[in-house]
Amino acid sequence: MVVKTRKKPDVWTTVSGFFLLFFALFLLYPLFGILKESIINPGGEFTISEFTKFFSQPYYSKTILNSFKVSIAITAATLLIGIPFSYFYTFYRLKGAKTLFVVSILCCMSAPFIGAYSWILLLGRSGVITQFLKNSLGINIGSIYGFGGILLVQALKLFPLVFVYMNGAFKNIDNSLLEASANMGCTGVKRFFRIILGLSMPTILAAALVVFMRAFADFGTPLLIGEGYRTFPVEIYNQYLGEGGGNHNFAAAISVIAIFVTALVFFLQKYATSKFNFSINALHPVEKKEPAGVIGVLMHVYCYLLAAVAFLPQLYIIYLSFRNSNQGVFLEGYSLASYEMAVKKLLGRSVKNTIVMGIGSLAIIIVFAILIAYLVVRRASFVSNTIDTMSMLPYIMPGSVIGIALVIAFGKKPLALTGTMIIMILALVIRRMPYTIRSATATLMQIPMSIEEASISLGASKMKTFSRITVPMMSSGIISGAILSWVSIVTELSSAIILYNNRNITLTMSAYVAISRGNYGLAAAFSAVLTVLTSVSLLIYLAVSKSEDIQL
């Protein structure tokens, strides 16, 4: 008689089941709630009237066109200024390269609306630069508001993303390919466009997608300086939290449209990337050259001028935080009055909430990212690919959509989480996990399976091998992704503005609330503290990792 023994469930099967349940409950279920609210009216009847309303009235449907126009323009502008910046940085020994790297990264790590707020103070109708040029030189530079202002602010903020992506791609180009092209007469500008950019095309497309998605989903910049130029995320916010009480069904319908639009762009990018499906490996890395003569001077001028202009808003905010102010007007003289007011206006609570929610969210993200990366790379299957796809969905959605989805799903019993810190942490984990997952996955793919097999053959268990061998070897990718997740967590606005309350207010929200109420001195103080926090985070990362790069 043969006794059949039940096979013990594999630990990774349990992990897969957990993630399927997690994403089903905290992502798919909330998104289904949005869909349901968009097609079921308050009387409980099925209707598509909200979608008809959106597409039949140009006042609303034009927001899609506006978002596409400005996002495409921002993407083109960041590629145009970011690729040369990265090329000069990677292929030439620029003086102060470390400073250039840190400053440019800090530009894209600030809260999305701080740059817009600062540029209003610099180039607004009564801005410092605007008034100086008008009164001293008689030059009227026009308005920062509208399409041009959004393009300026976002291009200067997001070009470092292109720089970071392209820096990694350029470093992977084998120098022997460049030497071969030179031997065949392809040099200079011709080689740059035909060889270097050709080999970097997958990365260019990836960088373009990241910039486009960030620009398309941006809420703070168009809200502050868009004025008559209305964009998609702002319209979702206005319909959900409008002054007249909002139209939740209409906001849900717009959110559904946003999901389809961003998903379409994502899959188009994936298709375009598949057309450039090749890999390169720098067996002979490119050797940096000395930038000599006039060309060398122009390289330094271009890089330092671009970094300085992009970093100007952060410096100006810190400067203004020490200026005297009264009722939204900055006065002569300097003091700590704005910081004293900030202390009275929830600075302590804002910093505490930011750090507590940030550390809590990041701890969950790191654990989840390690497990999902291992499932995707070492336990590839339909289930693990499904988990990977679900984890990436929030990456392509506006934060306001995630916020609204969570409010709809968990705004009432049996799982009423709205107004708690838990729902804020959930939103941060769901939205910001893709950064660490992608970085951890890329690192694990480079670790040979033979290392783990050797550990197991020497008597170590699979879990001991995973925890003692695999995870430590993934540390560089984990840390790199974690710093990006951390900074995006502490500067989160678009989902936080839907979910926050006074008990759970963060630094980003405190700064935004102060701006919306016209208290610019207080806003400058909150923004300066936030800028310092993100700067310290980056410097700690660079010190701990002993790296001069952030890998994406």
Side-chain angles (χ1 to χ4, degrees), residues 511-533:
Y512 174 76
V513 170
I515 292 173
S516 64
R517 293 176 179 174
N519 197 335
Y520 297 138
L522 179 62
F526 278 121
S527 300
V529 173
L530 185 58
T531 298
V532 170
L533 180 61

Side-chain angles (χ1 to χ4, degrees), residues 178-292:
L178 302 182
E179 292 173 352
S181 65
N183 292 334
M184 298 178 71
C186 185
T187 58
V189 175
K190 185 179 179 182
R191 182 174 66 180
F192 173 76
F193 283 101
R194 296 192 63 179
I195 307 299
I196 295 176
L197 292 189
L199 292 171
S200 308
M201 191 54 66
T203 304
I204 293 174
L205 292 172
L209 174 69
V210 171
V211 172
F212 181 90
M213 289 300 183
R214 289 279 293 268
F216 192 88
D218 182 39
F219 166 79
T221 304
L223 183 68
L224 288 179
I225 65 176
E227 285 197 346
Y229 197 85
R230 297 162 48 255
T231 60
F232 218 37
V234 174
E235 192 59 38
I236 293 173
Y237 169 77
N238 288 337
Q239 292 301 324
Y240 194 78
L241 294 174
E243 293 181 1
N247 183 339
H248 290 191
N249 294 90
F250 190 42
I254 302 176
S255 299
V256 170
I257 296 168
I259 293 170
F260 277 105
V261 169
T262 51
L264 177 63
V265 172
F266 177 73
F267 287 119
L268 283 174
Q269 187 269 350
K270 294 284 281 185
Y271 172 76
T273 302
S274 69
K275 297 298 181 181
F276 298 92
N277 190 16
F278 57 85
S279 60
I280 54 176
N281 188 20
L283 296 175
H284 304 90
V286 173
E287 294 183 6
K288 291 189 175 186
K289 295 180 286 187
E290 292 291 342

Side-chain angles (χ1 to χ4, degrees), residues 16 89 112 119 121-122 137 198 219 223 229 278 310 354 388 473 479-480 522:
S16 298
Y89 178 87
W119 281 114
L121 299 177
L122 289 167
L137 304 175
F219 166 79
L223 183 68
Y229 197 85
F278 57 85
T354 299
D388 188 40
M473 292 184 71
I479 294 172
S480 185
L522 179 62

Side-chain angles (χ1 to χ4, degrees), residues 316-352:
Y316 192 60
I317 287 293
I318 294 174
Y319 162 75
L320 288 178
S321 69
F322 294 102
R323 283 280 299 272
N324 290 322
S325 65
N326 183 34
Q327 299 298 320
V329 178
F330 289 101
L331 308 173
E332 293 295 327
Y334 303 89
S335 70
L336 296 175
S338 294
Y339 289 96
E340 292 171 1
M341 188 187 306
V343 171
K344 297 176 183 177
K345 296 283 186 178
L346 304 177
L347 176 62
R349 184 184 300 178
S350 300
V351 172
K352 177 186 172 183

Side-chain angles (χ1 to χ4, degrees), residues 170-175 280-286:
F170 288 154
K171 283 186 174 181
N172 283 331
I173 294 177
D174 197 307
N175 195 50
I280 54 176
N281 188 20
L283 296 175
H284 304 90
V286 173

Side-chain angles (χ1 to χ4, degrees), residues 10-72:
D10 181 58
V11 64
W12 292 107
T13 302
T14 305
V15 171
S16 298
F18 167 78
F19 282 120
L20 287 174
L21 181 62
F22 175 84
F23 286 117
L25 180 61
F26 296 115
L27 181 62
L28 300 184
Y29 171 62
L31 292 180
F32 177 76
I34 282 189
L35 177 62
K36 181 181 176 182
E37 187 146 326
S38 70
I39 58 177
I40 304 296
N41 65 21
E45 300 171 335
F46 175 82
T47 178
I48 59 169
S49 60
E50 303 297 352
F51 292 96
T52 304
K53 175 183 175 181
F54 182 87
F55 287 107
S56 63
Q57 298 185 28
Y59 178 82
Y60 298 117
S61 57
K62 192 178 179 182
T63 58
I64 293 183
L65 185 61
N66 285 348
S67 288
F68 264 106
K69 279 182 180 177
V70 75
S71 299
I72 291 171

